[in-house]
């Protein structure tokens, strides 16, 4: 077996349950997909950087997935790398520790089919934290150990939007300086594919010899301004041969939520600022998850 289910951008919360039903549908589809493992590519939470309860809720929610589950953090889990989209929620040691306590690790190596998959913490690139250098050293080591296997790098944010020479600092992708440092390492290490979430949009294209796959979100639609196709969904990727085969994983009944409409078209800046929705969800869902 060489098929992996990719879920991304769940945006779960015990108090703000807008996307719980989509997640429930995603779990059912993932569990029925007959895959080797499920990779959850970041933004499991809405307010993970500041909420132990939310991180705990996301971890308990993932226990609904059967088989091996590999989770990577996103900006809504451990905070952004600077400058970030919210200066109050930048990655730091405490936020990283909260993730690691809940999920055990923020990176993985998985040899599957013909490939080596390397999952990393996108939020560390450009963070300046000691864990950034540690992760880069680990990545170099894991690339060196691929022994000729093509490598797919999995991380929450895309390396760039259109091209590797983009000069502006942005919360939409890796920033220019860490990207410039990372790309030569990836090229020398045989990375053939980069799989990212974060933009809540689908896109699959080859740029300078590396295939960049953007994953749809489970929660809500992204913006078309990034160039991909805003999408709610999930995919499977089969890594049996040298060319990875990507397929949509149907999610019957999943709702393509519109974020602006949910937030009252400007009434609330962040989902976390909104009233509880639906009230009492924490009790009902946690009870359900424990059952
Ligand atoms: Fe997201
Ligand atoms: Fe994100």
């Amino acid at each position: 077996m060489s098929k992996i289910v990719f879920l991304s951008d769940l945006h779960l919360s015990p108090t703000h349950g807008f996307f719980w039903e989509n997640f429930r549908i995603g779990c059912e589809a993932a569990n029925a997909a007959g895959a080797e493992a499920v990779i959850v590519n970041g933004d499991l939470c809405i307010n993970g950087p500041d909420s132990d309860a939310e991180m705990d809720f996301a971890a308990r929610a993932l226990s609904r997935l059967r088989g091996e589950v590999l989770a990577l953090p996103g900006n809504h889990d451990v905070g952004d790398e600077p400058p970030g989209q919210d200066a109050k929620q930048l990655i730091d040691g405490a936020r990283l520790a909260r993730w690691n306590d809940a999920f055990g690790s923020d990176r993985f190596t998985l040899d599957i089919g013909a490939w080596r998959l390397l999952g990393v913490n996108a939020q560390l690139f450009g963070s300046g934290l000691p864990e950034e250098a540690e992760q880069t050293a680990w990545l170099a080591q894991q690339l060196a150990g691929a022994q000729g296997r093509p490598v797919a790098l999995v991380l929450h944010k895309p390396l760039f939007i259109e091209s590797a020479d983009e000069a502006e600092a942005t919360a939409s992708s890796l920033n220019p300086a860490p990207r410039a440092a990372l790309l030569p390492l990836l090229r020398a290490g045989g990375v053939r594919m980069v799989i990212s979430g974060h933009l809540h949009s689908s896109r699959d294209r080859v740029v300078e010899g590396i295939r960049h796959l953007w994953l749809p979100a489970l929660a809500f639609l992204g913006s078309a301004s990034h160039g991909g196709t805003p999408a709610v969904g999930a995919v499977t990727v089969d890594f049996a041969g040298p060319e990875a085969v990507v397929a949509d994983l149907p999610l019957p009944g999943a709702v393509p939520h519109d974020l602006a409409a949910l937030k009252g078209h400007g009434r609330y800046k962040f989902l976390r600022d909104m009233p509880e929705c639906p009230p009492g969800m924490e009790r009902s869902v946690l009870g359900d998850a424990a059952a």
Side-chain angles (χ1 to χ4, degrees):
M1 247 189 341
S2 49
K3 194 165 75 172
I4 300 285
V5 170
F6 284 88
L7 304 178
S8 192
D9 295 272
L10 287 48
H11 293 286
L12 300 175
S13 163
T15 50
H16 294 74
F18 317 105
F19 315 118
W20 175 258
E21 182 62 9
N22 278 7
F23 172 71
R24 198 192 57 71
I25 293 167
C27 277
E28 271 185 18
N31 288 339
E36 184 77 2
V38 180
I39 292 177
V40 184
N41 200 9
D43 281 1
L44 281 62
C45 300
I46 288 174
N47 192 29
D50 285 320
S51 172
D52 291 339
E54 210 163 274
M55 194 68 73
D56 177 60
F57 180 81
R60 293 179 65 174
L62 287 206
S63 69
R64 291 177 161 234
L65 291 163
R66 288 201 282 275
E68 188 173 14
V69 178
L70 299 162
L72 296 170
N75 50 305
H76 285 281
D77 305 314
V78 297
D80 253 317
E81 70 282 18
Q85 58 182 315
D86 179 359
K88 293 197 197 100
Q89 289 202 334
L90 299 180
I91 187 169
D92 61 25
R95 287 167 169 156
L96 204 45
R98 179 186 285 122
W99 171 272
N100 285 328
D101 283 350
F103 294 98
S105 178
D106 61 351
R107 58 189 183 227
F108 64 79
T109 301
L110 179 66
D111 288 337
I112 179 160
W115 289 70
R116 166 164 282 200
L117 272 55
L118 296 176
V120 295
N121 180 350
Q123 271 45 69
L124 284 175
F125 294 107
S127 69
L129 294 174
E131 290 85 354
E132 180 183 7
E134 190 198 314
Q135 174 171 266
T136 301
W138 174 87
L139 180 58
Q141 195 182 47
Q142 298 304 307
L143 288 167
Q147 298 184 317
R149 286 170 173 265
V151 175
L153 183 75
V154 187
L155 76 175
H156 180 61
K157 287 190 175 183
L159 302 189
F160 49 78
I161 304 300
E162 290 299 328
S163 64
D165 60 2
E166 286 158 6
E168 63 177 307
T170 170
S172 299
S173 69
L174 258 56
N175 276 313
R179 175 170 63 235
L182 179 61
L183 266 170
L185 180 66
L186 302 184
R187 291 192 182 289
V191 171
R192 297 255 309 274
M193 192 170 181
V194 176
I195 302 174
S196 58
H198 183 56
L199 296 175
H200 298 216
S201 291
S202 296
R203 203 177 200 187
D204 186 359
R205 63 190 187 133
V206 176
V207 183
E208 295 179 48
I210 295 178
R211 182 178 182 184
H212 295 261
L213 176 68
W214 293 3
L215 300 171
L218 264 190
F220 57 88
L221 297 170
S223 160
S225 65
H226 292 118
T229 304
V232 161
V235 303
T236 61
V237 184
D238 194 328
F239 293 97
E243 201 59 44
V245 177
V246 179
D248 284 335
L249 179 65
L251 303 182
V255 176
H257 290 285
D258 176 335
L259 184 62
L262 267 180
K263 292 195 290 188
H265 297 284
R267 185 159 173 218
Y268 299 98
K269 186 169 182 198
F270 297 110
L271 288 171
R272 64 177 189 257
D273 302 331
M274 294 180 64
E276 277 196 28
C277 175
M281 185 195 135
E282 180 172 11
R283 212 168 34 251
S284 61
V285 168
L286 284 179
D288 193 18

